[in-house]
Amino acid sequence: MKKILPRMTRLGCAALAMALVSVVVPADIASANPGSLHAIAKGAQPLDVVEKHLQPWVDNDALLAEDALTAGPGVPVRFATAIEVAYDAKTHGTWETLHDGSELWRLRIESPGAESLNFGFSKLYLPAGGRMVLYSADGATVQGPFDAGQNKAHGEFWTPIVPGDDAVIEVQLAAGQRDQLVLELSRINHAYRSLDGADKSGSCNIDVVCPDGNAWRDEIRSVARITISGLFLCTGYMVNNTDQDLTPYFITADHCNLGANNAQSLVTYWNYANSTCRIPGGGASGAPGNGNLGNTQSGSTFLAGSATSDFTLVRLDSAPSSAFNVYWAGWDARNIDHTSGVVAIHHPQGQEKRISFEDDATSTTTYLGTSSPGDGTHIRVADWDDGTTEGGSSGSPLFNQAGRVVGQLHGGFAACGNNLADWYGRISSSWNLGLSQFLAPGSSALVLDGRDESTGGGGGGGGGGGGGGDACDDQVSAPFLCQEDDRTLCLSDDRFQVEVDWRDFSNASGSAQVVDQVSSNDSGLLYFFNADNWEMLLKVINGCGFNDRFWVFSAATTNVEYTLRVTDSETGCVKEYFNPLGTSAAAITDTDAFATCP
């Protein structure tokens, strides 16, 4: 069960001010460093002697004005423009032999007025033991070192950003390895947008290190800032699969331009977060943070995607370093709405990671639509009660109260200071568009919990029944009085409320009805279509004397879609079990259902 903790309001709370500003980021984030000066070769000649290539002037203001005309929902944040080049280590740059016999190659790139630079190598092969670093000419920022682990089957390598307009690319090799190096630089990406300047994220946003995020520490670790083609900023997340094998599957939005032709250009920035909790609504929260961009990795392979529900699934070229402490998020692909609120974790304007809360129910609509269910492809979040989303948040995950992803951000009109809506492409809509074959291979599961690299997976929906484990799938206000009627069973001394909704092959839907003449304290029968044709037998049994749990059992003779919803009237914990349309219903034997004894 996802524990819901008290949180700040959008206006902040004076009584908490001193406590909040002293909260620090977890050690796994605080310890990340974007390279270090010792990575730069010692004993080399001064930079003044290194071959330098001055790039053509770029009109930053004209590009910003161009972006202002095209901005809107579903448009990714562009922060850089591409400069095409053809620089080869065999014909460009400066080679020298160091005192220890090792070989050093350097190339200096200046693009006047750039806020930052990043690079796309069309070919890169580093010999064993070789390493490459990127650094600003003043030595203030170093990215790398990168080693032979960056050698990809596709041959490309795309780099993280280096602040400023003057950068050095440096490769150091063992003696005699010069001819083995393959390095062809084809793209210099000139950033015309300052990620720490006027386009900072709104002050109503909530840093993930704040107490508001305490119930979501695992999910926070699954989310990363990303750049695509060195030009666009979005958000994405690592996602678990039913094989529980730590395959580095990663999801973002289709409109972020991470397609089959440029998946190799993905750069992922993990743990980019402010180190302290800035009070929402305060000046510090609206100012640039101190997040660290050192936990990066590069490259991916496109697997599936669709504009319909705006998703892209890729496989990262390698799993994240264990030092990054990444979490593989769980998911819920059932065709349901979410009645108890949702949570967004994202990088607004590409800046430090934030968390936003919506306490009310969501609805199913068409993208940017309000009528429900519309075409059924999107989740509409009516407004955000705390925090918001912005450009750069695109592709970020939306979590239900059980901590499972139900969609990724497509677009909307939400911002600090308004109560407007956002729309997320539904996992359930994406399921048969390519997601299922990778996230649930050979399985009919529609629900899965997340997992850590070291601890393994947790529960989730084995088989077609969904549910399982002692985590609540939803949470409602409690206590309440269970009131039995022709569509509701009250079992186990009226403690548990049982309801079933169905959908058939003609897309007709309804609620199952109780066969009242055979119901008892612990069990009941239900029918969908005809009082003489019973579809379901179910039980809720007090197993507290055996394993400190209430148990849920069900057997159904049907292949139509149904959702069985069992609610504990004392705690508000809800367990849901789902059968997909066209699947013969599997028996449910959940002896871990409710950890709510006595």
PDB file of all heavy atoms in Angstrom, residues 391-416:
ATOM      1  N   GLY A 391       7.042  22.914 -20.163  1.00  0.00           N
ATOM      2  CA  GLY A 391       7.869  22.399 -21.223  1.00  0.00           C
ATOM      3  C   GLY A 391       9.089  21.717 -20.629  1.00  0.00           C
ATOM      4  O   GLY A 391       9.652  22.197 -19.644  1.00  0.00           O
ATOM      5  N   GLY A 392       9.512  20.605 -21.212  1.00  0.00           N
ATOM      6  CA  GLY A 392      10.584  19.793 -20.628  1.00  0.00           C
ATOM      7  C   GLY A 392      10.057  18.652 -19.787  1.00  0.00           C
ATOM      8  O   GLY A 392      10.748  17.662 -19.571  1.00  0.00           O
ATOM      9  N   SER A 393       8.806  18.788 -19.297  1.00  0.00           N
ATOM     10  CA  SER A 393       8.171  17.701 -18.549  1.00  0.00           C
ATOM     11  C   SER A 393       7.632  16.618 -19.474  1.00  0.00           C
ATOM     12  O   SER A 393       7.251  15.532 -19.006  1.00  0.00           O
ATOM     13  CB  SER A 393       7.026  18.244 -17.691  1.00  0.00           C
ATOM     14  OG  SER A 393       7.464  19.251 -16.810  1.00  0.00           O
ATOM     15  N   SER A 394       7.559  16.900 -20.777  1.00  0.00           N
ATOM     16  CA  SER A 394       7.020  15.936 -21.732  1.00  0.00           C
ATOM     17  C   SER A 394       7.694  14.577 -21.588  1.00  0.00           C
ATOM     18  O   SER A 394       8.916  14.486 -21.452  1.00  0.00           O
ATOM     19  CB  SER A 394       7.237  16.432 -23.160  1.00  0.00           C
ATOM     20  OG  SER A 394       6.403  17.522 -23.458  1.00  0.00           O
ATOM     21  N   GLY A 395       6.883  13.531 -21.638  1.00  0.00           N
ATOM     22  CA  GLY A 395       7.394  12.173 -21.512  1.00  0.00           C
ATOM     23  C   GLY A 395       7.504  11.683 -20.093  1.00  0.00           C
ATOM     24  O   GLY A 395       7.827  10.516 -19.855  1.00  0.00           O
ATOM     25  N   SER A 396       7.244  12.558 -19.117  1.00  0.00           N
ATOM     26  CA  SER A 396       7.388  12.158 -17.714  1.00  0.00           C
ATOM     27  C   SER A 396       6.237  11.253 -17.288  1.00  0.00           C
ATOM     28  O   SER A 396       5.126  11.333 -17.811  1.00  0.00           O
ATOM     29  CB  SER A 396       7.437  13.396 -16.818  1.00  0.00           C
ATOM     30  OG  SER A 396       6.246  14.158 -16.933  1.00  0.00           O
ATOM     31  N   PRO A 397       6.489  10.381 -16.316  1.00  0.00           N
ATOM     32  CA  PRO A 397       5.470   9.407 -15.920  1.00  0.00           C
ATOM     33  C   PRO A 397       4.412   9.994 -14.991  1.00  0.00           C
ATOM     34  O   PRO A 397       4.694  10.887 -14.190  1.00  0.00           O
ATOM     35  CB  PRO A 397       6.286   8.331 -15.192  1.00  0.00           C
ATOM     36  CG  PRO A 397       7.443   9.098 -14.615  1.00  0.00           C
ATOM     37  CD  PRO A 397       7.768  10.162 -15.626  1.00  0.00           C
ATOM     38  N   LEU A 398       3.211   9.440 -15.099  1.00  0.00           N
ATOM     39  CA  LEU A 398       2.112   9.726 -14.191  1.00  0.00           C
ATOM     40  C   LEU A 398       1.887   8.464 -13.368  1.00  0.00           C
ATOM     41  O   LEU A 398       1.653   7.386 -13.927  1.00  0.00           O
ATOM     42  CB  LEU A 398       0.851  10.086 -14.963  1.00  0.00           C
ATOM     43  CG  LEU A 398      -0.353  10.531 -14.137  1.00  0.00           C
ATOM     44  CD1 LEU A 398      -0.111  11.913 -13.529  1.00  0.00           C
ATOM     45  CD2 LEU A 398      -1.627  10.552 -14.990  1.00  0.00           C
ATOM     46  N   PHE A 399       1.972   8.584 -12.049  1.00  0.00           N
ATOM     47  CA  PHE A 399       1.837   7.436 -11.150  1.00  0.00           C
ATOM     48  C   PHE A 399       0.471   7.435 -10.473  1.00  0.00           C
ATOM     49  O   PHE A 399      -0.021   8.487 -10.051  1.00  0.00           O
ATOM     50  CB  PHE A 399       2.909   7.471 -10.067  1.00  0.00           C
ATOM     51  CG  PHE A 399       4.310   7.239 -10.563  1.00  0.00           C
ATOM     52  CD1 PHE A 399       5.127   8.314 -10.885  1.00  0.00           C
ATOM     53  CD2 PHE A 399       4.803   5.956 -10.714  1.00  0.00           C
ATOM     54  CE1 PHE A 399       6.421   8.115 -11.343  1.00  0.00           C
ATOM     55  CE2 PHE A 399       6.100   5.743 -11.171  1.00  0.00           C
ATOM     56  CZ  PHE A 399       6.913   6.821 -11.486  1.00  0.00           C
ATOM     57  N   ASN A 400      -0.130   6.230 -10.356  1.00  0.00           N
ATOM     58  CA  ASN A 400      -1.319   6.113  -9.516  1.00  0.00           C
ATOM     59  C   ASN A 400      -0.888   5.971  -8.058  1.00  0.00           C
ATOM     60  O   ASN A 400       0.305   5.945  -7.739  1.00  0.00           O
ATOM     61  CB  ASN A 400      -2.220   4.966  -9.978  1.00  0.00           C
ATOM     62  CG  ASN A 400      -1.555   3.586  -9.838  1.00  0.00           C
ATOM     63  OD1 ASN A 400      -0.554   3.412  -9.141  1.00  0.00           O
ATOM     64  ND2 ASN A 400      -2.121   2.607 -10.510  1.00  0.00           N
ATOM     65  N   GLN A 401      -1.867   5.874  -7.154  1.00  0.00           N
ATOM     66  CA  GLN A 401      -1.530   5.868  -5.740  1.00  0.00           C
ATOM     67  C   GLN A 401      -0.866   4.574  -5.286  1.00  0.00           C
ATOM     68  O   GLN A 401      -0.356   4.500  -4.163  1.00  0.00           O
ATOM     69  CB  GLN A 401      -2.788   6.150  -4.901  1.00  0.00           C
ATOM     70  CG  GLN A 401      -3.295   7.575  -5.039  1.00  0.00           C
ATOM     71  CD  GLN A 401      -2.301   8.600  -4.544  1.00  0.00           C
ATOM     72  OE1 GLN A 401      -1.557   8.356  -3.601  1.00  0.00           O
ATOM     73  NE2 GLN A 401      -2.269   9.770  -5.176  1.00  0.00           N
ATOM     74  N   ALA A 402      -0.839   3.557  -6.152  1.00  0.00           N
ATOM     75  CA  ALA A 402      -0.097   2.338  -5.852  1.00  0.00           C
ATOM     76  C   ALA A 402       1.346   2.431  -6.323  1.00  0.00           C
ATOM     77  O   ALA A 402       2.109   1.466  -6.212  1.00  0.00           O
ATOM     78  CB  ALA A 402      -0.787   1.129  -6.488  1.00  0.00           C
ATOM     79  N   GLY A 403       1.744   3.590  -6.880  1.00  0.00           N
ATOM     80  CA  GLY A 403       3.115   3.775  -7.316  1.00  0.00           C
ATOM     81  C   GLY A 403       3.427   3.147  -8.653  1.00  0.00           C
ATOM     82  O   GLY A 403       4.589   2.860  -8.952  1.00  0.00           O
ATOM     83  N   ARG A 404       2.408   2.966  -9.503  1.00  0.00           N
ATOM     84  CA  ARG A 404       2.610   2.360 -10.815  1.00  0.00           C
ATOM     85  C   ARG A 404       2.306   3.387 -11.899  1.00  0.00           C
ATOM     86  O   ARG A 404       1.360   4.176 -11.787  1.00  0.00           O
ATOM     87  CB  ARG A 404       1.698   1.142 -10.983  1.00  0.00           C
ATOM     88  CG  ARG A 404       1.948   0.055  -9.941  1.00  0.00           C
ATOM     89  CD  ARG A 404       0.918  -1.058 -10.038  1.00  0.00           C
ATOM     90  NE  ARG A 404       1.101  -2.031  -8.967  1.00  0.00           N
ATOM     91  CZ  ARG A 404       0.122  -2.523  -8.219  1.00  0.00           C
ATOM     92  NH1 ARG A 404      -1.122  -2.118  -8.416  1.00  0.00           N
ATOM     93  NH2 ARG A 404       0.376  -3.409  -7.282  1.00  0.00           N
ATOM     94  N   VAL A 405       3.091   3.366 -12.970  1.00  0.00           N
ATOM     95  CA  VAL A 405       2.899   4.311 -14.066  1.00  0.00           C
ATOM     96  C   VAL A 405       1.625   3.967 -14.828  1.00  0.00           C
ATOM     97  O   VAL A 405       1.383   2.809 -15.174  1.00  0.00           O
ATOM     98  CB  VAL A 405       4.099   4.274 -15.033  1.00  0.00           C
ATOM     99  CG1 VAL A 405       3.866   5.232 -16.199  1.00  0.00           C
ATOM    100  CG2 VAL A 405       5.377   4.643 -14.308  1.00  0.00           C
ATOM    101  N   VAL A 406       0.832   4.999 -15.126  1.00  0.00           N
ATOM    102  CA  VAL A 406      -0.389   4.806 -15.920  1.00  0.00           C
ATOM    103  C   VAL A 406      -0.360   5.619 -17.209  1.00  0.00           C
ATOM    104  O   VAL A 406      -1.240   5.469 -18.058  1.00  0.00           O
ATOM    105  CB  VAL A 406      -1.645   5.158 -15.091  1.00  0.00           C
ATOM    106  CG1 VAL A 406      -1.815   4.161 -13.954  1.00  0.00           C
ATOM    107  CG2 VAL A 406      -1.590   6.591 -14.556  1.00  0.00           C
ATOM    108  N   GLY A 407       0.653   6.479 -17.392  1.00  0.00           N
ATOM    109  CA  GLY A 407       0.746   7.253 -18.622  1.00  0.00           C
ATOM    110  C   GLY A 407       1.978   8.133 -18.620  1.00  0.00           C
ATOM    111  O   GLY A 407       2.684   8.245 -17.609  1.00  0.00           O
ATOM    112  N   GLN A 408       2.264   8.744 -19.782  1.00  0.00           N
ATOM    113  CA  GLN A 408       3.368   9.692 -19.894  1.00  0.00           C
ATOM    114  C   GLN A 408       2.830  10.994 -20.500  1.00  0.00           C
ATOM    115  O   GLN A 408       1.909  10.977 -21.304  1.00  0.00           O
ATOM    116  CB  GLN A 408       4.526   9.137 -20.721  1.00  0.00           C
ATOM    117  CG  GLN A 408       4.278   8.937 -22.186  1.00  0.00           C
ATOM    118  CD  GLN A 408       3.358   7.775 -22.484  1.00  0.00           C
ATOM    119  OE1 GLN A 408       3.378   6.753 -21.805  1.00  0.00           O
ATOM    120  NE2 GLN A 408       2.503   7.923 -23.507  1.00  0.00           N
ATOM    121  N   LEU A 409       3.440  12.118 -20.084  1.00  0.00           N
ATOM    122  CA  LEU A 409       2.889  13.430 -20.424  1.00  0.00           C
ATOM    123  C   LEU A 409       2.990  13.705 -21.921  1.00  0.00           C
ATOM    124  O   LEU A 409       4.073  13.664 -22.501  1.00  0.00           O
ATOM    125  CB  LEU A 409       3.616  14.526 -19.647  1.00  0.00           C
ATOM    126  CG  LEU A 409       3.115  15.957 -19.904  1.00  0.00           C
ATOM    127  CD1 LEU A 409       1.657  16.103 -19.510  1.00  0.00           C
ATOM    128  CD2 LEU A 409       3.978  16.969 -19.156  1.00  0.00           C
ATOM    129  N   HIS A 410       1.847  14.021 -22.526  1.00  0.00           N
ATOM    130  CA  HIS A 410       1.780  14.444 -23.918  1.00  0.00           C
ATOM    131  C   HIS A 410       1.804  15.973 -23.997  1.00  0.00           C
ATOM    132  O   HIS A 410       2.640  16.557 -24.673  1.00  0.00           O
ATOM    133  CB  HIS A 410       0.505  13.885 -24.566  1.00  0.00           C
ATOM    134  CG  HIS A 410       0.441  14.084 -26.046  1.00  0.00           C
ATOM    135  ND1 HIS A 410      -0.436  13.384 -26.856  1.00  0.00           N
ATOM    136  CD2 HIS A 410       1.117  14.895 -26.878  1.00  0.00           C
ATOM    137  CE1 HIS A 410      -0.267  13.752 -28.114  1.00  0.00           C
ATOM    138  NE2 HIS A 410       0.655  14.685 -28.149  1.00  0.00           N
ATOM    139  N   GLY A 411       0.898  16.617 -23.270  1.00  0.00           N
ATOM    140  CA  GLY A 411       0.867  18.074 -23.297  1.00  0.00           C
ATOM    141  C   GLY A 411      -0.339  18.596 -22.565  1.00  0.00           C
ATOM    142  O   GLY A 411      -1.177  17.846 -22.067  1.00  0.00           O
ATOM    143  N   GLY A 412      -0.441  19.905 -22.499  1.00  0.00           N
ATOM    144  CA  GLY A 412      -1.569  20.536 -21.830  1.00  0.00           C
ATOM    145  C   GLY A 412      -1.296  22.007 -21.605  1.00  0.00           C
ATOM    146  O   GLY A 412      -0.388  22.592 -22.207  1.00  0.00           O
ATOM    147  N   PHE A 413      -2.073  22.601 -20.713  1.00  0.00           N
ATOM    148  CA  PHE A 413      -2.017  24.044 -20.498  1.00  0.00           C
ATOM    149  C   PHE A 413      -1.678  24.406 -19.055  1.00  0.00           C
ATOM    150  O   PHE A 413      -1.719  25.573 -18.689  1.00  0.00           O
ATOM    151  CB  PHE A 413      -3.363  24.663 -20.889  1.00  0.00           C
ATOM    152  CG  PHE A 413      -3.795  24.297 -22.286  1.00  0.00           C
ATOM    153  CD1 PHE A 413      -4.743  23.305 -22.506  1.00  0.00           C
ATOM    154  CD2 PHE A 413      -3.220  24.905 -23.385  1.00  0.00           C
ATOM    155  CE1 PHE A 413      -5.134  22.954 -23.797  1.00  0.00           C
ATOM    156  CE2 PHE A 413      -3.597  24.559 -24.678  1.00  0.00           C
ATOM    157  CZ  PHE A 413      -4.554  23.584 -24.886  1.00  0.00           C
ATOM    158  N   ALA A 414      -1.347  23.415 -18.238  1.00  0.00           N
ATOM    159  CA  ALA A 414      -1.045  23.674 -16.833  1.00  0.00           C
ATOM    160  C   ALA A 414       0.200  24.546 -16.703  1.00  0.00           C
ATOM    161  O   ALA A 414       1.142  24.437 -17.486  1.00  0.00           O
ATOM    162  CB  ALA A 414      -0.846  22.357 -16.091  1.00  0.00           C
ATOM    163  N   ALA A 415       0.178  25.410 -15.698  1.00  0.00           N
ATOM    164  CA  ALA A 415       1.330  26.256 -15.378  1.00  0.00           C
ATOM    165  C   ALA A 415       1.117  26.808 -13.982  1.00  0.00           C
ATOM    166  O   ALA A 415       0.002  26.748 -13.434  1.00  0.00           O
ATOM    167  CB  ALA A 415       1.467  27.404 -16.385  1.00  0.00           C
ATOM    168  N   CYS A 416       2.187  27.321 -13.384  1.00  0.00           N
ATOM    169  CA  CYS A 416       2.018  27.994 -12.100  1.00  0.00           C
ATOM    170  C   CYS A 416       1.020  29.136 -12.274  1.00  0.00           C
ATOM    171  O   CYS A 416       1.114  29.905 -13.238  1.00  0.00           O
ATOM    172  CB  CYS A 416       3.350  28.543 -11.616  1.00  0.00           C
ATOM    173  SG  CYS A 416       4.522  27.287 -11.074  1.00  0.00           S
TER     174      CYS A 416
END
